[in-house]
Each structure stands twice: as C-alpha cells, then as structure tokens.
Amino acid sequence: MSAGVVAEGASDETGDEPRVGDDSAGVDSSGEESSGDDSADDEAGSEEEASAGGSSGGRSRRSDLEREGEVAADFIETLLDICDLDGDLDVDVDGDRAAVALVDSDEGRVPRRLVGQDAQVLDALQELTRLAVQSETGERSRLMLDIAGHRAARRAELVRIAQEAISEVKENGSPASLSPMSAFERKVVHDEVLAAGLSSESEGSEPRRYVVISPA
C-alpha cells in the first residue's frame, strides 16, 4: 500500500467566505452555521479567529493549522497501514481550518467504502481524526477530511441546487425550502445565497435541519 503525504498551498474556496445575515442561524467566522441546534462543529469559530488578530497572530494560527494537518495525516496513514489500504494524503489549510484529503495513489484507489452511505463512514473517520489531533495538540480541532473527492463533488452539487433555488425565488418572489442538510452542506448553500443578494436561514432540528431561501 501507499500513503504518501503532499503539502499544498492554502485554498481560497472557503477561507474568506461572506456571511449570511440570519437571525436564527447565522454563519460565524468558523465558516459554518452558528445556530444552537447545529452540531458541535459550528461553535468555536469567532473566538478562535479573534484570538489570532494581527499579522503575527495570523501566522501563528496558520502554523497551528499546518500542525493539525500533519498530525491528522500521520494518524490516517497509520490507519491505512493497519488496514493495508492504498491512498495518498494531501494536507492543506482551507480558510481557518486544516484540511486533509485522502486521494487515489499510483498503487491503487482509495476504497469507496471509506466514504460510506450518505458519507457516514467519512464523517465518523473525520470525528475520529479530530479526536486524535486534539489528543496530540490539546486543542479542539475543526479539521475537514475528504476521501476520494466526495466532499468536493458534493460541494459542486450543492452549488447547483442552491443556484436553481435562487433562480426560483427571484422569479416567483416567494421563499423556497431545500431538503435537510448537514451543517457543512447548509454553509455552502448560505454562501451561494448571499453572493446572489438574497437571504437565507436554517430551520428545523437535526438531523432534519434545512435551509429556507427568501427574497432580499
């Protein structure tokens, strides 16, 4: 098996994304929703970013995130060795979080079962990896894990869904409700809505929480 680690430059995809003005479920500086009903992954962005203030603080924060990515990559590489699975690891910093992607290698493809139905296996591995990082660094991790490009593909699909709903709202002048989504998925939709000049909010309770898009 192979589990190489490749360090990449910072991605702009989610780092400095705009926020949605939403009384019930705003988007905090962590890049995800800040509603009380959302997962624990949504809680800590503002304080972390505020504590980084200034250029020297920003450099320190980036170093911390790079360290998170390295620890996560080591942990995942160990799991791959134990399970005798193939894959390369790309380590990055995406906005205000570390990002690690497990991708196909020259020796073989990443088993798609590591994503699982509705990404349940991927989500579980992400949480396990975050715990491993927290155990090593002593700090709560918000690391994002992707496997076989699943999250990237889902992001593209969500952008398409959001754009279709935005067009419908603009045409009809009435709110549109989307299907239930995870906090990560709702964040992608919120950003598309804001970029289009409309407003959005999250309603319902987990795991049936969904986005409602309304005219500006």
Side-chain angles (χ1 to χ4, degrees):
M1 61 79 66
S2 170
V5 179
V6 181
E8 296 185 347
S11 167
D12 292 329
E13 188 173 5
T14 60
D16 297 316
E17 292 169 326
R19 312 311 190 230
V20 175
D22 173 4
D23 292 338
S24 65
V27 177
D28 66 15
S29 61
S30 69
E32 295 187 2
E33 297 180 331
S34 57
S35 165
D37 289 334
D38 285 335
S39 67
D41 187 40
D42 308 331
E43 295 172 357
S46 298
E47 290 183 2
E48 290 174 347
E49 194 167 26
S51 65
S55 59
S56 60
R59 286 193 297 270
S60 175
R61 178 60 179 155
R62 181 177 177 84
S63 296
D64 290 344
L65 295 176
E66 290 172 345
R67 171 61 177 157
E68 280 192 28
E70 292 169 358
V71 172
D74 288 343
F75 174 75
I76 297 170
E77 187 172 10
T78 299
L79 289 182
L80 292 175
D81 287 337
I82 292 172
C83 299
D84 194 23
L85 298 176
D86 295 316
D88 284 340
L89 291 162
D90 293 339
V91 181
D92 198 0
V93 173
D94 188 354
D96 64 346
R97 72 175 68 209
V100 176
L102 178 59
V103 299
D104 295 338
S105 69
D106 293 337
E107 285 72 23
R109 300 179 67 204
V110 175
R112 271 44 181 178
R113 65 179 180 274
L114 292 181
V115 175
Q117 184 177 3
D118 297 327
Q120 290 180 349
V121 178
L122 170 56
D123 289 341
L125 287 172
Q126 176 175 274
E127 290 307 310
L128 189 61
T129 303
R130 287 176 173 179
L131 289 173
V133 171
Q134 181 174 342
S135 177
E136 178 70 22
T137 65
E139 299 292 336
R140 179 177 178 272
S141 173
R142 298 176 55 256
L143 175 139
M144 184 68 72
L145 175 65
D146 196 4
I147 295 177
H150 174 81
R151 292 202 196 279
R154 178 59 174 157
R155 183 188 297 275
E157 180 183 5
L158 289 165
V159 168
R160 176 187 61 78
I161 291 172
Q163 290 176 344
E164 290 177 354
I166 288 167
S167 296
E168 178 183 337
V169 171
K170 287 182 175 180
E171 181 178 350
N172 300 332
S174 300
S177 299
L178 302 183
S179 300
M181 299 176 180
S182 68
F184 163 77
E185 293 171 333
R186 295 193 301 270
K187 169 63 171 59
V188 175
V189 173
H190 282 312
D191 286 343
E192 285 299 309
V193 172
L194 182 61
L198 303 184
S199 63
S200 63
E201 62 181 5
S202 292
E203 297 184 0
S205 301
E206 296 290 3
R208 305 291 298 172
R209 197 160 171 77
Y210 60 94
V211 175
V212 178
I213 302 174
S214 303

